[in-house]
Amino acid sequence: ATVDTNIIFTEKSTNDEKCLAFSLAKSFNEKSDNFEKLIKENAFETKGFNIKDSWIISSPIEERIKTKIEAIGTPLKDWDIQINYGIKTGYNEAFIISGDKKDELIGKDPRNAEIIKPILRGRDIKRYTSEFADLWLINSHNGIKIKNIPRIDIVNDYPTIYEHFLQYEEKLKKRQDKGDHWTNLRNCAYLEEFEKEKIVYPNMTKFLPFYYDDTSYYTNQKCFIITGNNIKYLVALLNSKIFSSVFKDNFPELLGGTRELSKIFFEILIFPIISKESQLPIITLVDKILNMKKANPKADTTDLEKEIDVLVYKLYDLTDEEIAIVEGV
């Protein structure tokens, strides 16, 4: 099993959308702890099942904080943004190459540089930064028909890359994720989004890192990208304590505390949209963090991130008690 276990007791009655819940601590000792006593002393009332929303177990004060936060926001699906997953090659061994191989291909034909792009994987994403592993995507895209952008003709225009692909020909022809020619990637209508400023985050993660990228990285299928308006402001909200403590339970938890950040769960999250002027204090701090991380990816930006948290708490008008709960989760 890759998910945590729930034991649910039900009875035939009218649904009042309430239930008692108890989260069994990892410290529980089945030999010495009285399970029934633990439930009686620690169970709390939480919202029950309904047909409209996902079911999240949280204490009354945690539920109150979440309700308060969501009351002043707008679902991400209604923001002026797009959420898309990374490139699916169908056979990474052929399309994702090392820095040495990239240099070799460009050395044989400088024109090859036109379609070789730096690529990030889910594991490369950190808070406000990334760890580029010197991996490169051969972007032999299949064109964007609605924009009259033709597919990349590897055979005729990039013969040395075609020679590289020939060693994988049999497997490339068998893959389902392919374009009009076996050397092409599958259709990707949002291909141009990778060249824009964006937020990158892994599809499965234990640490909930979000990276602001303005250097045109591409990503593999283990990442999602967010493009559109208010990106720097949004990355601050996503990297804030509010997100990691209040919103993390919106995502399915897999074994070991890993969360699945799929688009269907992500786009219904609610965040406040504020004016550009009101965003400035937060964006100023984000810029300071980004500059420090660019100079040194391991730079300690904890103090700046705490300053962002303070501004986010004010944004939601949280009380000292509520802040203490958020900080303690």
Side-chain angles (χ1 to χ4, degrees):
T2 60
V3 295
D4 291 335
T5 302
N6 284 292
I7 301 174
I8 302 174
F9 298 90
T10 63
E11 64 180 25
K12 186 177 180 180
S13 64
T14 302
N15 181 14
D16 59 4
E17 296 191 2
K18 295 179 181 178
C19 69
L20 291 177
F22 170 63
S23 181
L24 186 64
K26 291 182 174 65
S27 58
F28 172 73
N29 188 326
E30 61 180 338
K31 294 182 179 179
S32 59
D33 290 335
N34 185 310
F35 185 61
E36 184 177 3
K37 182 180 178 182
L38 280 173
I39 293 177
K40 287 182 177 179
E41 293 180 352
N42 297 282
F44 52 84
E45 187 176 279
T46 186
K47 287 184 178 180
F49 298 103
N50 64 62
I51 62 174
K52 295 180 180 179
D53 303 314
S54 58
W55 185 51
I56 298 173
I57 297 176
S58 56
S59 68
I61 189 168
E62 290 171 345
E63 183 64 36
R64 190 181 76 213
I65 293 171
K66 194 169 188 296
T67 300
K68 182 177 183 178
I69 287 172
E70 292 182 338
I72 65 169
T74 301
L76 286 179
K77 63 184 178 64
D78 295 326
W79 284 44
D80 184 17
I81 62 171
Q82 299 81 43
I83 304 175
N84 294 296
Y85 54 74
I87 300 292
K88 293 182 178 181
T89 70
Y91 195 70
N92 286 345
E93 288 83 351
F95 290 96
I96 298 180
I97 59 176
S98 67
D100 288 341
K101 187 64 177 179
K102 180 260 298 183
D103 292 340
E104 177 189 329
L105 290 173
I106 293 175
K108 290 180 178 178
D109 184 352
R111 189 181 178 188
N112 290 338
E114 298 172 355
I115 62 168
I116 298 180
K117 307 291 184 178
I119 189 168
L120 295 173
R121 305 162 298 175
R123 72 186 75 174
D124 301 326
I125 308 305
K126 312 299 176 185
R127 287 168 63 87
Y128 290 109
T129 190
S130 64
E131 294 181 352
F132 180 51
D134 197 20
L135 294 176
W136 300 79
L137 170 72
I138 299 177
N139 184 26
S140 56
H141 63 76
N142 203 46
I144 304 177
K145 294 177 177 59
I146 60 174
K147 294 185 178 181
N148 294 317
I149 297 176
R151 72 175 182 87
I152 297 294
D153 186 346
I154 290 291
V155 177
N156 294 307
D157 295 337
Y158 301 95
T160 53
I161 290 181
Y162 180 57
E163 289 178 10
H164 162 75
F165 280 147
L166 282 174
Q167 62 186 309
Y168 306 107
E169 181 176 3
E170 183 179 351
K171 292 181 178 179
L172 290 180
K173 284 182 175 178
K174 288 181 179 179
R175 79 194 203 279
Q176 292 182 332
D177 289 326
K178 62 176 180 286
D180 296 340
H181 188 267
W182 60 266
T183 58
N184 289 120
L185 296 168
R186 60 181 283 171
N187 289 334
C188 183
Y190 55 86
L191 187 69
E192 294 173 304
E193 298 299 299
F194 291 99
E195 301 282 349
K196 300 177 181 178
E197 68 162 344
K198 58 187 175 291
I199 296 172
V200 184
Y201 64 93
N203 67 335
M204 292 186 181
T205 173
K206 186 176 182 178
F207 305 105
L208 303 177
F210 295 86
Y211 164 53
Y212 170 83
D213 172 47
D214 60 356
T215 55
S216 301
Y217 276 117
Y218 282 60
T219 71
N220 72 352
Q221 77 281 12
K222 299 298 184 181
C223 296
F224 282 92
I225 64 170
I226 303 176
T227 52
N229 290 320
N230 303 307
I231 295 299
K232 275 190 181 177
Y233 163 66
L234 181 57
V235 80
L237 296 180
L238 296 176
N239 278 323
S240 72
K241 192 70 175 178
I242 284 284
F243 182 84
S244 61
S245 62
V246 177
F247 288 112
K248 69 177 181 180
D249 287 330
N250 284 67
F251 306 102
E253 182 177 5
L254 309 179
L255 196 64
T258 296
R259 300 283 175 170
E260 181 184 346
L261 307 187
S262 294
K263 179 180 178 179
I264 58 172
F265 307 120
F266 206 90
E267 66 182 3
I268 61 175
L269 296 182
I270 297 175
F271 294 104
I273 299 177
I274 60 177
S275 68
K276 295 291 186 181
E277 183 179 358
S278 299
Q279 292 179 26
L280 278 178
I282 293 176
I283 291 177
T284 298
L285 292 170
V286 170
D287 283 334
K288 289 181 180 180
I289 292 172
L290 294 175
N291 288 334
M292 289 179 65
K293 292 294 188 182
K294 285 180 180 179
N296 177 12
K298 295 184 178 180
D300 184 0
T301 57
T302 302
D303 290 341
L304 291 172
E305 292 179 46
K306 287 181 178 179
E307 288 186 48
I308 290 177
D309 285 335
V310 170
L311 294 176
V312 175
Y313 295 148
K314 290 181 180 178
L315 189 63
Y316 289 112
D317 195 27
L318 295 192
T319 65
D320 290 342
E321 179 190 18
E322 291 166 342
I323 292 172
I325 294 296
V326 171
E327 294 282 352
V329 173

